[in-house]
Amino acid sequence: MAALNINSLLAHLDDPNFFLLDSKIDVSAINETKIDSSVNDNEIYLPGFEVVRKDRSVNSRCGGGVCIYLRSNMNYQIRDDLCDDQLECVVIEIIRPHSRPFIVSTWYKPPNSPQDIFRQFESLIDKVDSEQKDFYLLGDLNCYMNDGSNHNSSTLTDILDIYELSQLISEPTRITPTSSTLIDLCVTSSPEKISKAGVVHIGISDHSLVFMTLKISYERTGSHRTIETRAFKNFNHHHFLNDVAQ
């Protein structure tokens, strides 16, 4: 699973097309899509993927908006019931055969958000926690996690600590000539199920891509296994021994 603040999806559609189709990414969260209802899903279609989106309700072409691309063979349901309308977030529940479902979300927090937004975010976390399912959150939270004196960072850290959530990214994700900040995060309730997490500097926008890899497998081609077994329903022990003796 990966996340990238792309700073306009339409402007960079060929770029995510490249890194998604030529990678093993199954779930890709895109922040700052900057699209509105005048853009239909066909215009942001990527072969082999389905998209779940939430556009910013006001001035959406100027900023904000999120979406998640999922490989088409994945079973999922949209969980709008978990997310406050005022949060720019998408929440989905991924359903796997013979396994417990897990929840994936992306949240974009604008830089100048009011402090109350953390209350709404904590409400989301509380609802997810009550479901007792593994939870994975990726996105640009605009909290300077490499600055211990930052108030937003402290508030977010307190919420993560209360719900025993782990933040897995440790290096800066937005580097400019004058700053180096860690604001794009991967958060999970189940760090033991993550085999790897990190940052990839792909040069599509002024943010780097963050990712985490789950210790599960998915059949990407839709192929099936054929298992052959021998039926012993009519097996006769004495006839078998006689055949061996011959």
Side-chain angles (χ1 to χ4, degrees):
M1 299 188 294
L4 176 67
N5 181 318
I6 204 167
N7 191 23
S8 179
L9 180 57
L10 288 176
H12 299 283
L13 191 60
D14 289 339
D15 296 317
N17 194 356
F18 172 78
F19 84 76
L20 274 178
L21 296 182
D22 291 354
S23 74
K24 295 182 179 179
I25 298 173
D26 293 307
V27 179
S28 180
I30 305 294
N31 287 188
E32 284 215 86
T33 54
K34 295 186 177 180
I35 56 177
D36 57 24
S37 58
S38 67
V39 178
N40 62 49
D41 287 354
N42 290 334
E43 294 179 73
I44 57 172
Y45 169 74
L46 296 179
F49 288 86
E50 295 185 26
V51 64
V52 180
R53 58 191 268 195
K54 183 175 183 179
D55 306 334
R56 180 177 285 184
S57 56
V58 179
N59 295 327
S60 52
R61 289 301 184 97
C62 298
V66 296
C67 73
I68 294 180
Y69 283 98
L70 305 100
R71 288 198 183 268
S72 300
N73 65 324
M74 301 180 76
N75 295 322
Y76 70 92
Q77 61 178 340
I78 302 170
R79 295 297 307 272
D80 286 340
D81 57 304
L82 297 176
C83 188
D84 191 295
D85 287 340
Q86 297 184 46
L87 291 178
E88 292 187 53
C89 75
V90 168
V91 184
I92 59 173
E93 183 174 324
I94 295 178
I95 304 160
R96 297 182 297 132
H98 314 300
S99 301
R100 283 180 57 81
F102 59 91
I103 294 173
V104 178
S105 177
T106 186
W107 176 37
Y108 171 67
K109 186 185 78 63
N112 299 318
S113 301
Q115 197 67 19
D116 275 355
I117 201 167
F118 285 107
R119 233 181 285 172
Q120 296 153 5
F121 174 67
E122 185 170 3
S123 175
L124 162 66
I125 300 299
D126 189 63
K127 291 176 185 176
V128 171
D129 183 68
S130 67
E131 301 223 349
Q132 298 184 337
K133 296 171 183 172
D134 293 341
F135 176 58
Y136 305 93
L137 169 73
L138 309 94
D140 175 7
L141 274 60
N142 277 303
C143 296
Y144 302 133
M145 302 304 285
N146 54 345
D147 180 0
S149 63
N150 181 265
H151 183 65
N152 285 341
S153 169
S154 300
T155 303
L156 178 62
T157 299
D158 288 344
I159 295 173
L160 300 185
D161 288 345
I162 289 170
Y163 290 93
E164 298 183 329
L165 299 174
S166 299
Q167 201 291 109
L168 306 178
I169 304 302
S170 57
E171 63 179 285
T173 61
R174 185 173 184 268
I175 300 173
T176 72
T178 59
S179 66
S180 180
T181 53
L182 169 50
I183 56 178
D184 304 273
L185 311 179
C186 290
V187 172
T188 179
S189 62
S190 307
E192 73 283 356
K193 295 184 179 179
I194 299 296
S195 61
K196 189 176 182 181
V199 178
V200 181
H201 307 288
I202 58 178
I204 292 178
S205 72
D206 57 348
H207 290 252
S208 299
L209 178 143
V210 295
F211 74 92
M212 52 182 163
T213 304
L214 276 64
K215 299 175 184 177
I216 61 174
S217 62
Y218 244 108
E219 301 251 351
R220 291 192 176 86
T221 62
S223 61
H224 64 275
R225 292 189 304 158
T226 300
I227 302 175
E228 296 183 2
T229 62
R230 185 183 301 274
F232 286 93
K233 182 178 179 180
N234 300 314
F235 176 73
N236 186 297
H237 179 71
H238 296 292
H239 289 171
F240 172 75
L241 291 179
N242 185 61
D243 287 343
V244 172
Q246 298 301 319

